[in-house]
Amino acid sequence: MTRTKHDTHDRPHAWCPACRWERMSPDEQATYREERRRAARQAWQRRNPARAALRDALVASVTPGVCDRCGQRADTAAIIDYEQARIVGWRCRPCWRAARNTWRAEHAGAA
């Protein structure tokens, strides 16, 4: 069977990630997202144990702030300067992703 783009399916396919996502209920999607976030966080903590301990200590002692870019209050993450061991700001997930992608694009040639 030839695999086609999701846009051109005439019916849902089990191998298509978009089709599987569309079949999930909003609750299942939220559960899936949270499981993936938890797994990613644990993988990062295993790879960076010293930074993870510092991050946990810094974040445990403060109340999350508003996003430095858009002002959103919900679901913000701390931006940490690990060299100086301090929180330098807060970002919501969309702004954090945008900043990460911009940084990666600027430093792509340096690696």
Side-chain angles (χ1 to χ4, degrees):
M1 170 173 79
T2 304
R3 293 187 176 194
T4 59
K5 288 185 177 183
H6 177 70
D7 303 5
T8 60
H9 293 338
D10 55 350
R11 62 184 174 78
H13 293 285
W15 54 263
C16 177
C19 291
R20 287 194 308 266
W21 183 257
E22 288 173 352
R23 281 196 307 262
M24 287 185 193
S25 71
D27 290 338
E28 289 172 324
Q29 290 176 354
T31 301
Y32 180 82
R33 279 190 198 105
E34 188 53 40
E35 287 172 0
R36 299 314 311 152
R37 282 181 189 160
R38 184 181 43 74
R41 191 169 37 251
Q42 288 174 345
W44 181 83
Q45 289 171 336
R46 280 192 304 274
R47 288 190 311 268
N48 304 285
R51 284 187 171 190
L54 177 60
R55 173 178 273 288
D56 292 344
L58 290 172
V59 173
S61 64
V62 297
T63 303
V66 298
C67 178
D68 297 342
R69 288 187 171 185
C70 70
Q72 180 176 322
R73 291 191 174 280
D75 199 20
T76 56
I79 307 299
I80 297 181
D81 180 349
Y82 291 101
E83 306 266 326
Q84 296 182 8
R86 66 186 185 101
I87 296 175
V88 294
W90 296 89
R91 296 270 168 83
C92 65
R93 289 188 192 280
C95 291
W96 182 82
R97 282 189 198 104
R100 178 189 62 194
N101 292 339
T102 301
W103 186 90
R104 284 181 177 168
E106 290 172 358
H107 295 86

